[in-house]
Amino acid sequence: MKLVPIISTNCMSVGEAMRIIYDEAVISSDFVLITGDTVASFNLKEAIAEHKKRRKQDKSSIMTIVMKRIKSRASRKRLGDHGLILQVDPATNQIISYEEEINKSYVTLDVSSAFLDRSQVAVREDLVDCYIDICAPEVLGLFQDNFDFQNLRRDFVGGVLSEEELGNKIFAYELASGVDYAARIHNPRSYDAVSRDIWNHWLWPVEVGQSRTFTSCTHSWGIIRRGIQDCLRDAGVSASRSVEVGNDCQIGSDTSIGDNTRI
């Protein structure tokens, strides 16, 4: 693997960064675009393979956005995300409309144009954008040609979807629910939520600390059935009978906990 760091002291947006990369001419094939605050644990090869297969059939397929399904609005609020409504072709997963709900109690959608070239359109509000994109080299060219493109989603994705006459297409790749994990840490609430998910082993094999740990929430069934002392002992922890461990706590192996300690 060859790493090519690119340094800029006056880059203020994603658009400016993409134009710098274009000028450096270091990318000539499909590439993965990911934010530095994204945490993920899934097989990216499958998403890349799907993107490349689609590109062979249609060169106008310039981007694939990785999405994660959520069960309820509460899951979105847990991450501190604003609402997201997509219009998607269920047959191909092509994104027709990308609408962010920012401080809106309702959103009006125009689906009339979506039915011009297809018989079905799915309106999805159960997806979270993971900010992991598989891009064609043409993406860099579009940023270079449109200096008003600054924000990746609002300007670039919105601009591509609104200019249907150019023929460029963006698709969604949905992660396997309950198996794959990806989330962006972009505010204190999402930092707290992702930290708890790591404690509860949702990102396995990505783990915190040593391999033998006691996680109070994950082992709650064991605490009820066998007692907290047995669970702590299994994790290599030495603790007094008077120790109290609350929810969402993780204790590394070889830890000794004194009398009358509350964690």
Side-chain angles (χ1 to χ4, degrees):
M1 178 183 293
K2 181 181 180 182
L3 299 179
V4 182
I6 298 175
I7 301 174
S8 175
T9 58
N10 57 358
C11 183
M12 300 299 293
S13 69
V14 173
E16 292 179 4
M18 297 293 275
R19 284 184 279 274
I20 291 173
I21 294 174
Y22 178 88
D23 292 336
E24 293 289 334
V26 294
I27 294 178
S28 58
S29 60
D30 293 347
F31 62 96
V32 177
L33 182 64
I34 181 171
T35 60
D37 52 10
T38 296
V39 178
S41 178
F42 69 95
N43 190 352
L44 187 58
K45 291 182 179 179
E46 295 179 4
I48 295 174
E50 183 175 305
H51 171 81
K52 289 185 174 181
K53 180 181 179 180
R54 192 181 292 120
R55 284 275 294 169
K56 287 182 178 180
Q57 300 172 350
D58 185 358
K59 290 297 182 182
S60 62
S61 305
I62 62 171
M63 177 182 279
T64 299
I65 301 176
V66 176
M67 300 278 185
K68 180 179 67 175
R69 186 178 182 181
I70 56 174
K71 295 181 179 180
S72 64
R73 287 181 175 267
S75 299
R76 192 187 301 278
K77 291 180 179 179
R78 177 174 176 266
L79 292 168
D81 285 346
H82 50 70
L84 174 64
I85 296 180
L86 301 177
Q87 293 180 43
V88 181
D89 186 334
T92 63
N93 285 332
Q94 180 183 349
I95 299 176
I96 306 164
S97 172
Y98 184 105
E99 179 72 24
E100 294 177 311
E101 300 176 79
I102 303 177
N103 299 324
K104 294 181 181 179
S105 58
Y106 67 92
V107 175
T108 302
L109 297 176
D110 181 11
V111 298
S112 57
S113 59
F115 285 99
L116 295 177
D117 301 322
R118 54 191 63 83
S119 59
Q120 290 183 319
V121 174
V123 178
R124 303 286 302 271
E125 64 167 353
D126 60 340
L127 296 174
V128 171
D129 191 341
C130 300
Y131 278 80
I132 303 173
D133 307 321
I134 299 95
C135 307
E138 289 86 341
V139 169
L140 294 173
L142 287 171
F143 272 100
Q144 180 69 15
D145 296 338
N146 298 272
F147 274 80
D148 56 332
F149 284 179
Q150 301 295 332
N151 183 278
L152 183 60
R153 293 297 185 255
R154 183 177 60 252
D155 297 332
F156 178 79
V157 173
V160 169
L161 296 180
S162 64
E163 297 176 345
E164 296 184 33
E165 63 276 5
L166 296 181
N168 294 318
K169 301 174 184 177
I170 298 176
F171 294 81
Y173 176 85
E174 187 174 338
L175 297 177
S177 181
V179 178
D180 297 330
Y181 186 95
R184 186 184 178 202
I185 302 176
H186 57 96
N187 56 37
R189 184 174 293 182
S190 60
Y191 182 89
D192 175 74
V194 173
S195 296
R196 293 173 187 272
D197 290 342
I198 294 175
W199 290 338
N200 292 310
H201 310 290
W202 282 104
L203 273 79
W204 189 91
V206 178
E207 297 285 348
V208 174
Q210 303 174 15
S211 58
R212 294 181 66 198
T213 57
F214 167 80
T215 306
S216 55
C217 185
T218 303
H219 294 79
S220 59
W221 62 272
I223 294 174
I224 295 172
R225 186 166 66 91
R226 300 173 57 236
I228 188 173
Q229 292 298 323
D230 291 333
C231 293
L232 287 169
R233 194 176 298 110
D234 289 346
V237 177
S238 174
S240 167
R241 288 284 176 183
S242 59
V243 168
E244 296 181 20
V245 181
N247 287 329
D248 297 325
C249 295
Q250 189 170 70
I251 305 170
S253 62
D254 300 325
T255 300
S256 297
I257 307 174
D259 294 340
N260 302 316
T261 302
R262 297 183 62 185
I263 302 176

